[in-house]
Amino acid sequence: MNVGVAHSEVNPNTRVMNSRGIWLAYLLLTTALHVVLLSIPFLSVPVVWTLTNVIHNLAMYLFLHTVKGTPFETPDQGKARLLTHWEQMDYGVQFTASRKFLTISPIDTCEHKTCYFYTKYDTAHFVVNTGSLLSVLLPKLPQFHGVRLFGINKY
Amino acid sequence: AKDSKIAHLGYQEEKGEDSFEEAPMYVAVLTYMNYGIVILFGYFRDFLRAVGLEKCHQAQEREEQRNFVPLYQDFENFYKRNLYTRVRDNWNRPICSFPGPFFDIMERVSDDYNWTFRLTGRTIENVINMGSYNYLGFAENNVDFLKTVAEETRQYGVGVCSTRQELGNLSIHEKLERLVAEFLGVESAMAFGMGFATNSMNIPALVGKGCLILSDELNHTSLILGARLSGATIRVFKHNNMQSLEKMLKESICSGQPRTHRAWKKILIMVEGIHSMEGSLVRLPEILALKKKYKAYLYLDEAHSIGAVGPTGRGVTEHFGVDPNEVDVLMGTFTKSFGAAGGYIAGKKELVDYLRSHSHSAVYATAMSPPVVEQIIRAIKCIMGVDGTTEGQRRVRQLAENTRYLRSRLKKMGFIIYGNQDSPVVPLLLYLPGKVGAFSRAMLKRKIGIVVVGFPATPITEARARFCVSAAHTREMLDKSLDELGDDIKVKFSRHRSSYRPELYDETDFELDS
């Protein structure tokens, strides 16, 4: 047991996404990324939107669905070592508020009057954006909890 | 008169509510940005270490064992090597005097950014101690006290070399237990050698499989360990939240044991008098009302509150005006207010007699050492006033004054403080991990020693510094530490602003022409 810990939470990682202000911090970070990309002079607006979408989804995939375990030792005897952060959220309970928010947020960036609209429904952009969106939506489905395709990222 | 006070609607205002003020939203967002930057730099540095551009100070697998299944996971150590090591010099500082109101810290420096330390040989003297649990100031080098301790050591020796059940039951132990029972106002008590072990070894003796434990969210590790060792079903209720507790009680009683739905053998509610990280007081009258309504037992851990709250230092039961015989199991430690080591469990005579033969501590653990026992006896006699002086009462009153003073001054200065106005544990919220390190170092430079805690020991947005008020602190010491908490490290996040009340004159100055 981690002596000197101020709570009885076995894995503090599960509560991070429910903490106060993290949704706002996440939205601000995405907006900041978009603004930085918009300031690069030689990129056109459709390219910037696609880039924002792709980089955001890539980062989300990396931090939520690739990195496994906790960055600190937990007293749960290794139960969370093989789980990604998404699977650890709220101890695996599906359809909580944070999970719904993080599922809807990339869809919102991608579709809802934003990305597709600004890229003027161009085919190439559409393919790239949808591919990237699917790569970040599929791991969030409850059916994919703990699933590792082709043994990638299993251990 | 006591019962009417409990029924009175406004009593909560008399006793003071626990305050857990929220910081403004920008502070929470900045905290996450702070963690984000540190994590990114952590990944970058790990990459440099992996490539070989930076020397790796951590323990590594041997060359011959590179292809074996790894013993440890790299990532589990990420926080420790990238965040904790940067600020590691704020913890485990070696001290070289007794931890009274002032103490001496051995100066240590690091040449490689906190991976290794070396002592320079100098000491930082007379650092104000705001971190020790020295509530009544018994951590002192007092010749009068130590005279009786020395005599008892000459008579009984230093080591007991046996458990209580075998040959280790000395007459001084019985004296201590009678005194503890008299001090608390209960029938009987039993003392153990270690405070942590008191909880973790006695809860399994009291409850077992088929029982239900309802424990507070922020209970101490020892209580959690004891609950897990017992094999009972554990349900956690929100901190100090009586509605959550009642809801849980109702649901558990209605549905019964997990699979069989039989009635529970026992229901035990575990709470702490003062929680050491929050400084919040337990809502004892409400819990007692719930306990009586649903026929549950109450286990009250008074580790930080015995000797520290209450008009004569008898703990939360006296603070709320409650009869201590109503609480089923009173537990406490001698480490904090009595300047010794160990713990006790007190209650009805049948309960304590049962523990004498069934507790793991009693049967297997060595008995308390006689000098420590004598120190506790001396401290309790001093608080009770039995030794003929009013020193004990003075200390209890001084602690209450110091607590109120420090808390009100800190609030007025604009810091966010958690907890009840009467609790001597004062957590000052720092929020950002960078400020945690900076605050502790700045305080040490100004000769004040404090304890800071961060994630994952606290929730991610609530890193804090913890002040422990002591009766040995004088007004000047408190003023000095308050004055040093300036505006350099901007942590004054409180948004409680009282309306403008101008001070027309200086109330402490009585000169005619000012």
Side-chain angles (χ1 to χ4, degrees):
Chain A
M1 195 106 2
N2 291 336
V3 188
V5 174
H7 51 77
S8 55
E9 195 69 72
V10 168
N11 184 357
N13 245 357
T14 54
R15 295 275 168 248
V16 163
M17 288 297 169
N18 298 334
S19 324
R20 185 164 172 259
I22 198 161
W23 291 8
L24 180 64
Y26 162 74
L27 287 172
L28 282 176
L29 199 64
T30 322
T31 321
L33 165 72
H34 186 63
V35 166
V36 161
L37 283 176
L38 270 177
S39 351
I40 304 179
F42 51 82
L43 295 176
S44 67
V45 171
V47 170
V48 162
W49 274 96
T50 309
L51 262 184
T52 312
N53 198 18
V54 165
I55 294 178
H56 163 267
N57 291 347
L58 201 64
M60 184 183 251
Y61 184 76
L62 199 66
F63 283 112
L64 285 186
H65 300 288
T66 315
V67 170
K68 293 196 302 291
T70 53
F72 32 77
E73 285 179 20
T74 48
D76 65 347
Q77 298 179 338
K79 274 195 203 127
R81 253 180 225 147
L82 296 177
L83 297 177
T84 60
H85 192 171
W86 179 260
E87 288 157 3
Q88 281 174 40
M89 264 167 67
D90 296 313
Y91 292 107
V93 172
Q94 299 294 333
F95 307 122
T96 58
S98 307
R99 282 181 187 239
K100 285 190 262 197
F101 173 71
L102 287 170
T103 316
I104 292 175
S105 150
I107 302 177
D108 198 52
T109 322
C110 188
E111 301 180 31
H112 244 269
K113 291 204 188 80
T114 52
C115 199
Y116 288 157
F117 170 72
Y118 281 105
T119 61
K120 299 181 176 51
Y121 304 99
D122 179 49
T123 321
H125 281 269
F126 173 77
V127 165
V128 167
N129 280 325
T130 315
S132 150
L133 176 69
L134 278 178
S135 84
V136 99
L137 275 190
L138 283 180
K140 294 190 166 64
L141 292 173
Q143 289 79 13
F144 275 78
H145 183 95
V147 169
R148 306 271 185 261
L149 294 173
F150 309 118
I152 306 172
N153 209 16
K154 194 163 181 199
Y155 293 117
Chain B
K2 262 188 256 172
D3 301 309
S4 68
K5 206 176 193 181
I6 295 168
H8 178 55
L9 279 168
Y11 90 96
Q12 199 65 320
E13 279 84 50
E14 290 166 28
K15 290 302 162 196
E17 269 289 329
D18 299 337
S19 78
F20 294 106
E21 190 190 332
E22 250 183 9
M25 187 60 103
Y26 75 89
V27 174
V29 174
L30 280 177
T31 312
Y32 296 121
M33 298 295 170
N34 202 327
Y35 276 112
I37 293 173
V38 172
I39 290 174
L40 284 175
F41 268 92
Y43 276 118
F44 177 59
R45 296 286 287 273
D46 278 349
F47 168 71
L48 289 181
R49 276 186 272 254
V51 164
L53 285 172
E54 185 181 332
K55 179 160 175 278
C56 181
H57 296 264
Q58 279 263 286
Q60 281 175 306
E61 298 269 353
R62 296 210 315 245
E63 274 301 323
E64 311 88 71
Q65 293 177 326
R66 269 293 162 81
N67 290 326
F68 286 23
V69 174
L71 272 177
Y72 299 101
Q73 214 195 23
D74 257 346
F75 191 53
E76 259 183 4
N77 221 309
F78 183 89
Y79 186 84
K80 182 153 181 278
R81 63 172 180 268
N82 291 314
L83 203 105
Y84 178 66
T85 312
R86 286 169 184 265
V87 285
R88 201 156 76 104
D89 58 312
N90 297 315
W91 289 276
N92 302 322
R93 291 182 183 141
I95 70 174
C96 51
S97 76
F98 62 86
F102 284 112
F103 60 168
D104 303 334
I105 298 185
M106 297 174 76
E107 196 186 2
R108 55 177 187 170
V109 291
S110 174
D111 303 314
D112 47 4
Y113 299 103
N114 288 348
W115 284 100
T116 55
F117 291 107
R118 90 190 136 81
L119 298 168
T120 59
R122 284 191 294 268
T123 42
I124 310 173
E125 299 195 352
N126 286 339
V127 179
I128 298 181
N129 184 358
M130 300 295 294
S132 289
Y133 300 137
N134 188 14
Y135 298 135
L136 291 178
F138 282 117
E140 59 189 349
N141 222 345
N142 190 325
V143 181
D144 293 324
F145 262 45
L146 299 179
K147 219 169 12 184
T148 50
V149 175
E151 278 163 21
E152 298 292 335
T153 314
R154 260 183 228 115
Q155 186 185 348
Y156 288 101
V158 177
V160 182
C161 309
S162 183
T163 67
R164 286 294 293 276
Q165 266 207 348
E166 294 174 12
L167 298 176
N169 196 19
L170 307 174
S171 57
I172 201 173
H173 290 134
E174 310 230 322
K175 202 162 119 190
L176 170 68
E177 290 172 357
R178 270 198 305 273
L179 200 60
V180 169
E182 193 190 327
F183 176 71
L184 294 168
V186 286
E187 282 178 19
S188 171
M190 182 173 177
F192 304 92
M194 189 179 159
F196 188 105
T198 310
N199 270 329
S200 51
M201 299 291 115
N202 285 308
I203 298 178
L206 293 172
V207 288
K209 205 153 173 302
C211 303
L212 173 68
I213 294 181
L214 293 168
S215 103
D216 191 300
E217 202 179 6
L218 302 173
N219 267 345
H220 190 252
T221 317
S222 55
L223 289 165
I224 300 178
L225 183 60
R228 287 194 193 172
L229 284 174
S230 69
T233 312
I234 309 173
R235 304 257 159 92
V236 171
F237 65 91
K238 299 249 170 304
H239 178 56
N240 257 357
N241 190 332
M242 295 301 112
Q243 289 164 340
S244 165
L245 176 59
E246 183 164 12
K247 182 161 170 272
M248 214 160 260
L249 269 168
K250 270 193 213 165
E251 283 173 6
S252 313
I253 295 179
C254 286
S255 58
Q257 292 186 30
R259 273 175 307 115
T260 56
H261 296 291
R262 287 188 208 159
W264 297 101
K265 289 198 197 139
K266 259 185 283 229
I267 302 184
L268 187 69
I269 305 176
M270 283 194 331
V271 282
E272 285 192 43
I274 292 183
H275 288 83
S276 61
M277 278 298 167
E278 311 286 313
S280 55
L281 236 59
V282 69
R283 293 187 193 206
L284 197 56
E286 298 171 41
I287 292 193
L288 284 175
L290 276 176
K291 166 187 113 78
K292 285 193 194 117
K293 182 175 171 189
Y294 292 99
K295 299 198 183 46
Y297 296 109
L298 180 61
Y299 186 102
L300 181 63
D301 178 347
E302 290 209 76
H304 287 267
S305 52
I306 190 72
V309 283
T312 58
R314 301 293 206 266
V316 279
T317 46
E318 198 191 12
H319 179 82
F320 286 106
V322 159
D323 181 15
N325 285 308
E326 290 195 21
V327 180
D328 302 294
V329 189
L330 281 161
M331 180 264 169
T333 58
F334 299 120
T335 329
K336 282 95 186 175
S337 303
F338 301 99
Y344 66 83
I345 289 211
K348 297 246 176 338
K349 189 164 181 315
E350 296 118 342
L351 172 75
V352 180
D353 285 345
Y354 174 82
L355 283 177
R356 280 190 215 281
S357 45
H358 285 86
S359 158
H360 192 106
S361 253
V363 179
Y364 295 111
T366 318
M368 277 173 94
S369 171
V372 175
V373 177
E374 180 54 32
Q375 158 72 7
I376 304 170
I377 291 179
R378 198 77 180 82
I380 295 185
K381 280 193 179 152
C382 178
I383 301 175
M384 278 168 64
V386 167
D387 62 345
T389 63
T390 50
E391 178 66 16
Q393 282 311 302
R394 185 197 69 81
R395 285 175 193 240
V396 174
R397 260 199 314 270
Q398 182 74 33
L399 176 67
E401 257 180 57
N402 285 351
T403 309
R404 289 288 181 111
Y405 179 68
L406 187 74
R407 276 181 172 266
S408 62
R409 277 291 302 273
L410 282 171
K411 272 219 185 84
K412 231 189 301 192
M413 285 167 88
F415 294 102
I416 295 190
I417 311 285
Y418 273 9
N420 194 296
Q421 65 185 11
D422 291 316
S423 106
V425 176
V426 185
L428 193 154
L429 273 276
L430 296 172
Y431 298 104
L432 282 80
K435 288 200 204 285
V436 162
F439 192 78
S440 185
R441 285 177 195 142
M443 281 292 116
L444 186 60
K445 218 190 312 185
R446 294 169 169 79
K447 307 241 274 182
I448 301 171
I450 53 166
V451 169
V452 287
V453 228
F455 184 72
T458 56
I460 188 166
T461 39
E462 295 177 14
R464 61 198 73 174
R466 187 179 62 184
F467 290 89
C468 290
V469 188
S470 162
H473 285 134
T474 59
R475 190 58 75 91
E476 291 82 39
M477 283 187 228
L478 293 178
D479 278 333
K480 175 165 187 294
S481 36
L482 286 167
D483 292 331
E484 302 287 8
L485 291 171
D487 284 322
D488 300 332
I489 306 176
K490 298 185 177 16
V491 270
K492 294 189 179 171
F493 296 124
S494 178
R495 285 176 291 187
H496 285 156
R497 275 190 287 264
S498 39
S499 37
Y500 182 58
R501 299 260 183 279
E503 280 197 19
L504 295 174
Y505 54 87
D506 182 8
E507 284 175 354
T508 55
D509 184 5
F510 296 105
E511 288 299 320
L512 280 172
D513 55 351
S514 60

Coordinates of all heavy atoms in Angstrom, one line a residue, chain B residues 400-453:
Chain B
A400 N -5.3 25.6 20.9 CA -6.5 26.1 20.3 C -6.3 27.5 19.8 O -6.8 27.9 18.7 CB -7.6 26.0 21.3
E401 N -5.7 28.3 20.6 CA -5.4 29.7 20.2 C -4.6 29.8 18.9 O -4.9 30.5 18.0 CB -4.6 30.4 21.3 CG -5.4 31.4 22.2 CD -4.5 32.0 23.2 OE1 -3.5 32.6 22.8 OE2 -4.8 31.8 24.4
N402 N -3.5 29.0 18.9 CA -2.6 29.0 17.8 C -3.3 28.6 16.5 O -3.1 29.2 15.4 CB -1.4 28.1 18.0 CG -0.4 28.7 19.0 OD1 -0.5 29.9 19.3 ND2 0.6 27.9 19.4
T403 N -4.2 27.6 16.7 CA -4.9 27.1 15.5 C -5.8 28.1 14.9 O -5.8 28.4 13.7 CB -5.8 25.9 15.9 OG1 -5.0 24.9 16.6 CG2 -6.4 25.2 14.7
R404 N -6.6 28.8 15.8 CA -7.5 29.8 15.3 C -6.8 30.9 14.7 O -7.1 31.5 13.7 CB -8.3 30.3 16.5 CG -9.3 29.4 17.1 CD -10.5 29.2 16.1 NE -11.5 28.3 16.7 CZ -12.7 28.7 17.1 NH1 -13.0 29.9 17.0 NH2 -13.5 27.8 17.5
Y405 N -5.7 31.3 15.4 CA -4.9 32.5 14.9 C -4.3 32.2 13.5 O -4.5 33.0 12.5 CB -3.8 32.8 15.8 CG -2.9 33.9 15.4 CD1 -3.4 35.2 15.4 CD2 -1.6 33.8 15.0 CE1 -2.7 36.3 15.0 CE2 -0.8 34.8 14.6 CZ -1.3 36.1 14.6 OH -0.6 37.1 14.2
L406 N -3.7 31.0 13.3 CA -3.0 30.7 12.1 C -4.0 30.6 11.0 O -3.9 31.2 9.9 CB -2.2 29.4 12.2 CG -1.4 29.1 11.0 CD1 -0.2 30.0 10.9 CD2 -0.9 27.6 11.0
R407 N -5.1 29.9 11.3 CA -6.2 29.7 10.2 C -6.8 31.0 9.8 O -6.9 31.3 8.6 CB -7.2 28.8 10.7 CG -6.9 27.4 10.5 CD -7.9 26.4 11.0 NE -7.6 25.1 10.6 CZ -7.9 24.5 9.5 NH1 -8.7 25.1 8.6 NH2 -7.5 23.2 9.2
S408 N -7.1 31.9 10.8 CA -7.8 33.1 10.4 C -6.8 34.0 9.6 O -7.2 34.7 8.7 CB -8.4 33.8 11.6 OG -7.4 34.2 12.5
R409 N -5.6 34.1 10.1 CA -4.6 34.9 9.4 C -4.4 34.4 7.9 O -4.3 35.2 7.0 CB -3.2 34.9 10.1 CG -3.1 35.9 11.3 CD -3.1 37.3 10.9 NE -2.1 37.7 9.9 CZ -0.8 38.0 10.3 NH1 -0.5 38.1 11.5 NH2 0.1 38.3 9.3
L410 N -4.2 33.1 7.8 CA -4.0 32.6 6.4 C -5.2 32.9 5.5 O -5.0 33.3 4.4 CB -3.7 31.1 6.5 CG -2.4 30.6 7.0 CD1 -2.3 29.1 7.2 CD2 -1.3 31.0 5.9
K411 N -6.4 32.7 6.1 CA -7.6 33.0 5.3 C -7.6 34.5 4.9 O -7.9 34.8 3.7 CB -8.8 32.7 6.1 CG -9.3 31.3 6.0 CD -10.8 31.2 5.9 CE -11.3 29.8 5.9 NZ -11.4 29.2 7.2
K412 N -7.3 35.3 5.8 CA -7.3 36.8 5.5 C -6.3 37.2 4.5 O -6.5 38.1 3.7 CB -7.1 37.6 6.8 CG -8.2 38.6 7.0 CD -7.9 39.6 8.1 CE -7.7 38.8 9.4 NZ -7.7 39.7 10.6
M413 N -5.1 36.4 4.5 CA -4.1 36.8 3.6 C -4.4 36.3 2.2 O -3.8 36.7 1.2 CB -2.8 36.1 4.0 CG -2.1 36.8 5.1 SD -0.8 35.8 5.8 CE 0.6 36.3 4.8
G414 N -5.5 35.5 2.1 CA -5.9 35.1 0.7 C -5.5 33.7 0.3 O -5.7 33.4 -0.9
F415 N -5.0 32.9 1.2 CA -4.7 31.5 0.8 C -6.0 30.6 0.8 O -6.9 31.0 1.6 CB -3.6 30.9 1.7 CG -2.3 31.6 1.6 CD1 -1.9 32.5 2.5 CD2 -1.5 31.4 0.5 CE1 -0.7 33.2 2.5 CE2 -0.3 32.0 0.4 CZ 0.1 32.9 1.4
I416 N -5.9 29.5 0.1 CA -7.1 28.6 0.2 C -6.7 27.5 1.2 O -5.7 26.8 1.0 CB -7.4 28.0 -1.2 CG1 -7.9 29.0 -2.1 CG2 -8.5 26.9 -1.0 CD1 -8.5 28.5 -3.4
I417 N -7.4 27.5 2.3 CA -7.2 26.5 3.4 C -8.3 25.5 3.4 O -9.5 25.9 3.2 CB -7.1 27.2 4.7 CG1 -6.2 28.4 4.7 CG2 -6.7 26.3 5.8 CD1 -4.8 28.1 4.7
Y418 N -8.0 24.2 3.6 CA -9.1 23.2 3.8 C -9.3 23.0 5.2 O -8.5 23.2 6.1 CB -8.6 21.9 3.1 CG -8.9 21.8 1.6 CD1 -9.4 22.9 0.9 CD2 -8.7 20.6 1.0 CE1 -9.6 22.7 -0.5 CE2 -8.9 20.5 -0.4 CZ -9.4 21.5 -1.1 OH -9.6 21.4 -2.4
G419 N -10.5 22.5 5.5 CA -10.7 21.9 6.8 C -11.5 22.8 7.8 O -11.9 23.9 7.5
N420 N -11.6 22.3 9.0 CA -12.4 22.9 10.0 C -11.6 23.9 10.8 O -10.4 23.8 10.9 CB -12.9 21.8 11.0 CG -14.0 22.2 11.9 OD1 -13.8 23.1 12.7 ND2 -15.1 21.6 11.8
Q421 N -12.3 25.0 11.3 CA -11.5 26.1 11.9 C -10.8 25.6 13.2 O -10.0 26.3 13.7 CB -12.5 27.2 12.3 CG -13.5 26.8 13.3 CD -14.5 27.9 13.5 OE1 -14.6 28.9 12.7 NE2 -15.3 27.8 14.5
D422 N -11.2 24.4 13.8 CA -10.6 24.0 15.0 C -9.5 22.9 14.8 O -9.0 22.5 15.8 CB -11.7 23.4 15.9 CG -12.6 24.4 16.4 OD1 -12.1 25.5 16.8 OD2 -13.8 24.2 16.4
S423 N -9.3 22.6 13.6 CA -8.3 21.5 13.4 C -6.9 22.0 13.3 O -6.7 22.9 12.5 CB -8.7 20.6 12.2 OG -7.9 20.8 11.2
P424 N -6.0 21.4 14.1 CA -4.6 21.9 14.0 C -3.9 21.5 12.7 O -2.7 21.9 12.5 CB -3.9 21.3 15.2 CG -4.7 20.1 15.5 CD -6.1 20.3 15.1
V425 N -4.5 20.7 11.9 CA -3.9 20.4 10.6 C -4.4 21.4 9.6 O -5.6 21.5 9.4 CB -4.3 18.9 10.2 CG1 -3.8 18.6 8.9 CG2 -3.8 17.9 11.2
V426 N -3.4 22.1 9.0 CA -3.9 23.2 8.1 C -3.3 22.9 6.7 O -2.1 23.2 6.4 CB -3.3 24.5 8.6 CG1 -3.8 25.7 7.7 CG2 -3.7 24.7 10.0
P427 N -4.1 22.4 5.8 CA -3.5 22.2 4.4 C -3.7 23.5 3.6 O -4.8 24.0 3.5 CB -4.4 21.1 3.8 CG -5.3 20.7 4.9 CD -5.4 21.7 5.9
L428 N -2.6 23.9 3.0 CA -2.6 25.1 2.2 C -2.5 24.7 0.8 O -1.5 24.0 0.4 CB -1.4 26.0 2.6 CG -1.4 27.4 2.1 CD1 -0.6 28.2 3.1 CD2 -0.8 27.6 0.7
L429 N -3.5 25.0 -0.1 CA -3.5 24.4 -1.4 C -2.5 25.1 -2.3 O -2.6 26.4 -2.4 CB -4.9 24.5 -2.0 CG -5.9 23.4 -1.7 CD1 -5.7 22.2 -2.6 CD2 -5.7 22.8 -0.3
L430 N -1.7 24.3 -3.0 CA -0.8 24.9 -4.0 C -1.1 24.6 -5.4 O -0.7 25.4 -6.3 CB 0.6 24.4 -3.7 CG 1.2 24.7 -2.3 CD1 2.5 24.0 -2.1 CD2 1.5 26.2 -2.3
Y431 N -1.8 23.6 -5.7 CA -2.3 23.2 -7.0 C -1.3 22.8 -8.0 O -1.3 21.7 -8.5 CB -3.2 24.3 -7.6 CG -4.4 24.5 -6.8 CD1 -4.6 25.7 -6.0 CD2 -5.5 23.6 -6.7 CE1 -5.7 25.9 -5.2 CE2 -6.6 23.8 -5.9 CZ -6.7 25.0 -5.2 OH -7.8 25.2 -4.4
L432 N -0.4 23.7 -8.4 CA 0.5 23.3 -9.5 C 1.8 22.6 -8.9 O 2.3 23.0 -7.9 CB 1.0 24.6 -10.2 CG 0.0 25.3 -11.1 CD1 -1.0 26.1 -10.4 CD2 0.7 26.1 -12.1
P433 N 2.2 21.5 -9.7 CA 3.4 20.8 -9.2 C 4.6 21.6 -9.1 O 5.5 21.4 -8.2 CB 3.5 19.6 -10.2 CG 2.7 20.0 -11.4 CD 1.7 21.0 -10.9
G434 N 4.8 22.6 -10.0 CA 5.9 23.5 -9.9 C 6.0 24.3 -8.7 O 7.0 24.4 -8.0
K435 N 4.8 24.7 -8.3 CA 4.8 25.5 -7.0 C 5.1 24.7 -5.8 O 5.6 25.2 -4.8 CB 3.4 26.2 -6.9 CG 3.1 27.3 -7.9 CD 2.0 28.2 -7.4 CE 1.3 28.9 -8.5 NZ 2.1 30.0 -9.0
V436 N 4.7 23.4 -5.9 CA 5.0 22.5 -4.7 C 6.5 22.6 -4.4 O 6.9 22.8 -3.3 CB 4.5 21.1 -5.1 CG1 5.1 20.1 -4.1 CG2 3.0 21.0 -4.9
G437 N 7.3 22.3 -5.5 CA 8.7 22.3 -5.2 C 9.2 23.7 -4.8 O 10.0 23.9 -3.9
A438 N 8.8 24.7 -5.5 CA 9.3 26.1 -5.3 C 8.9 26.5 -3.9 O 9.7 27.2 -3.2 CB 8.7 27.0 -6.3
F439 N 7.7 26.2 -3.4 CA 7.2 26.6 -2.1 C 8.1 26.0 -1.0 O 8.5 26.7 -0.1 CB 5.8 26.2 -2.0 CG 5.1 26.8 -0.8 CD1 4.6 28.1 -0.9 CD2 4.9 26.1 0.4 CE1 3.9 28.7 0.2 CE2 4.2 26.6 1.4 CZ 3.7 27.9 1.4
S440 N 8.3 24.7 -1.1 CA 9.1 24.1 -0.1 C 10.5 24.6 0.0 O 11.0 24.9 1.1 CB 9.1 22.6 -0.3 OG 9.7 21.9 0.7
R441 N 11.1 24.8 -1.2 CA 12.5 25.3 -1.2 C 12.5 26.7 -0.6 O 13.4 27.1 0.1 CB 13.0 25.3 -2.6 CG 13.4 23.9 -3.0 CD 13.9 23.9 -4.4 NE 13.9 22.5 -4.9 CZ 13.6 22.2 -6.2 NH1 13.3 23.1 -7.0 NH2 13.6 21.0 -6.6
A442 N 11.6 27.6 -1.1 CA 11.6 29.0 -0.6 C 11.4 29.0 0.9 O 12.0 29.8 1.6 CB 10.5 29.7 -1.3
M443 N 10.5 28.2 1.4 CA 10.3 28.1 2.9 C 11.6 27.7 3.6 O 11.9 28.3 4.7 CB 9.2 27.2 3.2 CG 7.8 27.7 3.0 SD 7.4 29.0 4.1 CE 7.2 30.3 2.9
L444 N 12.3 26.8 3.1 CA 13.5 26.3 3.7 C 14.5 27.4 3.7 O 15.3 27.6 4.7 CB 14.0 25.0 3.1 CG 15.2 24.4 3.9 CD1 14.8 24.1 5.3 CD2 15.8 23.2 3.1
K445 N 14.6 28.1 2.6 CA 15.6 29.2 2.5 C 15.2 30.3 3.6 O 16.1 30.9 4.2 CB 15.5 29.9 1.1 CG 16.9 30.3 0.6 CD 16.9 31.1 -0.6 CE 16.0 30.5 -1.7 NZ 16.1 31.3 -2.9
R446 N 14.0 30.5 3.9 CA 13.6 31.4 4.9 C 13.5 30.8 6.3 O 12.9 31.3 7.2 CB 12.2 32.0 4.6 CG 12.2 32.9 3.3 CD 10.8 33.2 2.9 NE 10.8 34.2 1.9 CZ 11.0 33.9 0.6 NH1 11.3 32.7 0.2 NH2 10.9 34.9 -0.3
K447 N 14.0 29.6 6.4 CA 14.1 28.9 7.7 C 12.8 28.5 8.3 O 12.5 28.7 9.5 CB 14.9 29.7 8.7 CG 16.3 30.1 8.2 CD 17.4 29.5 9.0 CE 17.7 30.4 10.2 NZ 18.8 30.0 11.0
I448 N 11.9 27.9 7.4 CA 10.7 27.3 7.9 C 10.6 26.0 7.3 O 10.7 25.9 6.1 CB 9.4 28.2 7.5 CG1 9.6 29.6 8.1 CG2 8.2 27.6 8.0 CD1 8.6 30.5 7.5
G449 N 10.4 24.9 8.1 CA 10.3 23.6 7.5 C 8.9 23.1 7.4 O 8.1 23.1 8.4
I450 N 8.4 22.8 6.2 CA 7.0 22.3 6.0 C 7.0 21.1 5.2 O 8.0 20.7 4.6 CB 6.1 23.4 5.3 CG1 6.8 23.8 4.0 CG2 5.8 24.5 6.1 CD1 5.9 24.5 3.1
V451 N 5.9 20.4 5.2 CA 5.7 19.2 4.4 C 4.8 19.5 3.2 O 3.8 20.2 3.4 CB 4.9 18.2 5.3 CG1 4.5 17.0 4.5 CG2 5.9 17.7 6.4
V452 N 5.2 19.1 2.0 CA 4.3 19.3 0.9 C 3.9 17.9 0.3 O 4.7 17.0 0.4 CB 5.0 20.1 -0.2 CG1 5.1 21.6 0.2 CG2 6.4 19.6 -0.6
V453 N 2.8 17.9 -0.3 CA 2.3 16.6 -0.9 C 1.8 16.9 -2.3 O 1.1 18.0 -2.5 CB 1.2 15.9 -0.2 CG1 1.5 14.5 0.0 CG2 0.9 16.6 1.1

